[in-house]
């Protein structure tokens, strides 16, 4: 009997299907990118934004240019390419911003493939709220024994605490996501958090189920800080929507997103925000046709992402997976209470590497415990690590 192959979930670029209003963007942005990179190397594009301690800045940009211009593809060599999502985002950047984008995007895309590391993670995922008002069937929140208000590790991030994080990473990390285990709009200080973020990141992304959108929160989201706004919705009709997003009501979410569109068109017609309805594909009942029919006129993009078969990795048997987890080199998570973690599949933080602000983000990223975890994955010994041995993410 042949061995069963271990489950594999490619968390990065995990889209099952995607629909966008902008077509044929990749070819245009590739040509523009080559021109901008050459102008930068010729000294025609000065970098105005703070670039802290980036000794590898010029080297990374030269690697990007080489990858985009080379006609020869080495199958054994990681190569930077422009994805459709990245191409659409690139329309929102000036030439100077595009240079900074390449530096951070290259590290985000290629460092995990080459097991490269520098002083800061390419992306930081910050959790404004540990708790959520939904209990989606595909989410960690179904563990009701852990995600409850009486659990001391469940909390809301204060503005003052968030400010400490931003003050350190400003100029170091340009890709920040506000979301993780909980619903970010539950955080009482979310409007102040968004206001303070304004102008500090190339791409501030926020994921929300949209059930708590209000007029004031919509203005906070549209006032300049958020670049990518993801409305999490997995169906376009009832009862499927509420069967998947338990405690949710489709009509309420639909009205909230319609209000968002109205305010956007009336008060922020020139905003560079990109909106997306994104669902987790868990059943064949979900289809792109109905999603586009209902959501297509309200947002810029519609997508399904593949379901991550997490199934409580703490109790799962070893699955035989030996490929390293790419998140170990791509992003770090900061929970609402300051606990830092290598991933959110480990939602109980058994792999936590320390707390902010006891240590700063750079120190936490390079902790010996973190290094040992990376080495275990890289050397093929993932199956010796709990709970990584039962996880499918690569």
């Amino acid at each position: 009997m042949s061995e069963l192959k271990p489950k594999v979930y490619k968390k990065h670029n995990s889209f099952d299907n995607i629909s966008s209003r902008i077509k044929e963007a990749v070819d245009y942005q590739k040509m523009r990118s080559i021109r901008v990179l050459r102008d930068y190397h010729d000294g025609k594009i000065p970098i105005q934004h703070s670039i802290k301690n980036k000794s590898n800045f010029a080297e990374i940009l030269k690697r990007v240019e080489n990858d985009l211009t080379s006609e020869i593809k080495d199958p054994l060599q990681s190569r930077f390419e422009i994805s459709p999502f990245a191409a659409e985002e690139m329309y929102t950047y000036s030439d100077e911003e595009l240079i900074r984008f390449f530096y951070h995007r290259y590290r985000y895309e290629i460092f995990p493939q080459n097991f490269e590391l520098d002083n800061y993670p390419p992306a930081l995922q910050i959790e404004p709220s540990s708790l959520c008002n939904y209990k989606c069937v595909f989410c960690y929140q179904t563990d009701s024994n852990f995600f409850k208000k009486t659990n001391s590790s469940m909390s809301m991030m204060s503005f003052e605490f968030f400010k400490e994080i931003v003050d350190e990473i400003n100029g170091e990390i340009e890709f920040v996501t506000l979301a993780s285990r909980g619903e970010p709009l539950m955080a009482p200080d979310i409007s102040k958090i968004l206001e303070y973020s304004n102008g500090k990141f190339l791409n501030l992304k926020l994921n929300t189920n949209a059930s708590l959108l209000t007029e004031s929160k919509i203005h906070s989201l549209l006032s300049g800080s958020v670049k990518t706004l993801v409305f999490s919705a997995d169906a376009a009709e009832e009862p499927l929507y509420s069967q998947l997003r338990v405690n949710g009501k489709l009509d309420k979410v639909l009205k909230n997103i319609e209000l968002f569109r109205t305010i956007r068109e009336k008060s922020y017609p020139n905003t560079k925000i990109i909106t997306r309805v994104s669902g987790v594909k868990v059943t064949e009942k979900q289809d792109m046709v109905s999603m586009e029919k209902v959501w297509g006129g309200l947002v810029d993009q519609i997508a399904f992402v593949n379901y991550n078969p997490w199934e409580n990795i703490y109790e799962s048997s070893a699955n035989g997976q030996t490929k390293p987890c790419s998140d170990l080199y791509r992003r770090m998570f900061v929970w609402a209470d300051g606990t830092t973690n290598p991933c959110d599949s480990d939602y109980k933080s058994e792999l936590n590497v320390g707390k902010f602000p006891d240590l700063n983000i750079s120190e936490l990223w390079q902790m010996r415990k973190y290094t040992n975890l990376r080495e275990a994955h890289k050397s093929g010994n993932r199956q010796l690590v709990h709970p990584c041995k039962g996880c499918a993410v690569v």
Side-chain angles (χ1 to χ4, degrees), residues 256-271:
N256 287 350
I257 297 178
E258 287 173 344
L259 177 62
F260 181 94
R261 180 195 59 181
T262 299
I263 293 175
R264 176 184 182 177
E265 291 177 348
K266 180 180 179 181
S267 302
Y268 303 88
N270 298 317
T271 182

Side-chain angles (χ1 to χ4, degrees), residues 16 54 60 68 82 104 107 115 143 156 168 190 195 214-215 220 231 233 240 245 269 287 298 319-320 352 361 366 392:
D16 177 78
K54 294 183 174 63
I60 293 294
L68 293 179
I82 298 172
H104 294 279
R107 293 164 62 248
F115 308 122
D143 186 348
M156 307 287 182
E168 182 198 342
I190 190 64
E195 182 181 0
T214 61
E215 188 169 343
S220 295
F231 299 122
L240 185 57
R245 294 205 161 255
D287 71 281
L298 300 176
N319 62 15
N352 87 82
I361 299 300
Q366 301 173 82

